[in-house]
Amino acid sequence: MNTHLDGNVLAGALGEVFAVDITTAVAQCASCGTSQAMGQALVYTDAPGLVARCRTCGEVVLRVTRSPGRTWLDMRGVRCLELHVPGE
Amino acid sequence: MGIVSPGFKGRGGAGREKLPPGQYLVTDFPVLSAGPTPRVDTGSWELRIRTETGEVHSWDWAAFRALPSEEITVDLHCVTKWSKLHTPWRGVSLDTLLAEAETSAEYALARSYGGYTTNLPLQDLLDGQAWVAYEFDGEPLESEHGGPARLLVPHLYLWKSAKWVQGIDLLDNDEPGFWESLGYHNYGDPWREQRYWGD
Ligand SMILES: [Zn+2]
């Protein structure tokens, strides 16, 4: 029980919010400082929202919840997010 | 809408049971978790109640189990829309745990092993409405369901019934917990369908 999926499942929930691909974004964990692609996070989905945890230290890096018509995003666990944007 | 509530202990066989709006009935016991399951050994387990003045009341497992307990049968309503009826538990009433606490606090924040938190008015923990439960269906509570002990506040959505409860802080000011700080309703009454902010 209490299985988790990999961070690629975030693509669906956050694809509605961001124009960038969140799974290839590199997040620096606010707890341990490790940098990792969001797609590498451990995501707990059997919950009232999605909870992404750092693969290194297990702390929460990102949380997303949804209601019909609204979504909430908590990124307090990310110190810095490096996003890939189309080249100029 | 039905007009008759199921009896508190009724196993009333036939007929439709009344469910809160938007809920459906399950017979299994789904496991929801926002992280890995904490494996808390009863040898190191401790429950701490801390008042707004910093006074701490704590119990180790032996002291906790020596408290008077109650058998209760309650209905569970999860915000993810499943409901499970007539679930049998054994636990210690919060009235017992809070009996010695000198407090004028209006709010409570439950804290769990693993870091989970949930907030509720202190009043909702009192008067036979809440327990720290350690048995389900006559067996020690499994860790997947919050063992060795979890909060049980069945009149609110199940996210308020913090699994792996470690402590309860009594507070003068309300402090939103893990889900309450991210869109989920601060109170969470299933009968008023208080799922999200603004419901
Ligand atoms: Zn980390």
Side-chain angles (χ1 to χ4, degrees):
Chain A
M1 305 307 279
N2 110 83
T3 52
H4 57 74
L5 305 177
D6 74 43
N8 291 303
V9 300
L10 295 171
L14 293 181
E16 300 171 300
V17 183
F18 294 120
V20 297
D21 178 4
I22 192 72
T23 62
T24 59
V26 177
Q28 187 179 17
C29 173
S31 292
C32 73
T34 303
S35 291
Q36 58 207 316
M38 280 305 305
Q40 296 298 305
L42 310 178
V43 183
Y44 291 81
T45 58
D46 294 327
L50 299 183
V51 179
R53 291 177 176 270
C54 171
R55 188 170 281 273
T56 302
C57 74
E59 287 296 320
V60 176
V61 285
L62 179 150
R63 304 185 295 150
V64 197
T65 55
R66 283 221 52 158
S67 75
R70 287 182 289 174
T71 187
W72 293 269
L73 177 62
D74 171 9
M75 293 187 59
R76 282 175 292 179
V78 174
R79 186 177 300 158
C80 173
L81 192 64
E82 179 183 307
L83 299 160
H84 294 260
V85 292
E88 297 176 347
Chain B
M1 302 290 282
I3 49 165
V4 181
S5 298
F8 183 63
K9 291 187 174 174
R11 257 191 190 280
R16 253 207 264 273
E17 308 259 19
K18 189 177 174 187
L19 291 177
Q23 297 293 111
Y24 64 88
L25 197 59
V26 299
T27 51
D28 61 342
F29 195 166
V31 172
L32 272 70
S33 186
T37 298
R39 306 287 165 177
V40 187
D41 184 68
T42 53
S44 56
W45 182 91
E46 189 183 49
L47 179 67
R48 294 166 67 86
I49 289 177
R50 185 187 166 89
T51 73
E52 72 277 22
T53 61
E55 174 190 305
V56 173
H57 299 263
S58 66
W59 296 264
D60 64 12
W61 187 253
F64 170 70
R65 291 297 308 276
L67 294 169
S69 65
E70 297 174 13
E71 274 185 38
I72 56 234
T73 299
V74 298
D75 299 339
L76 308 178
H77 307 296
C78 180
V79 74
T80 61
K81 299 199 168 178
W82 57 265
S83 289
K84 183 174 176 63
L85 304 182
H86 314 308
T87 62
W89 301 82
R90 176 176 288 280
V92 176
S93 169
L94 263 292
D95 294 311
T96 302
L97 294 165
L98 291 167
E100 303 295 319
E102 292 265 352
T103 184
S104 57
E106 290 184 34
Y107 302 99
L109 182 71
R111 301 177 176 280
S112 297
Y113 290 97
Y116 182 77
T117 57
T118 186
N119 61 306
L120 62 177
L122 177 54
Q123 200 169 18
D124 286 78
L125 292 179
L126 300 173
D127 300 324
Q129 296 185 93
W131 297 265
V132 173
Y134 56 86
E135 279 181 16
F136 175 75
D137 206 7
E139 300 290 335
L141 186 57
E142 292 176 19
S143 53
E144 283 75 13
H145 289 301
R150 73 178 297 167
L151 193 59
L152 185 63
V153 193
H155 69 287
L156 300 177
Y157 279 125
L158 196 55
W159 89 76
K160 300 283 187 180
S161 293
K163 297 203 255 187
W164 316 295
V165 67
Q166 179 178 28
I168 298 171
D169 293 348
L170 310 183
L171 305 170
D172 286 326
N173 297 303
D174 200 9
E175 186 177 321
F178 189 86
W179 294 120
E180 294 87 353
S181 62
L182 196 68
Y184 280 93
H185 198 276
N186 200 52
Y187 185 63
D189 179 352
W191 296 97
R192 288 186 278 168
E193 205 168 2
Q194 293 174 331
R195 299 182 196 274
Y196 304 104
W197 291 355
D199 283 349

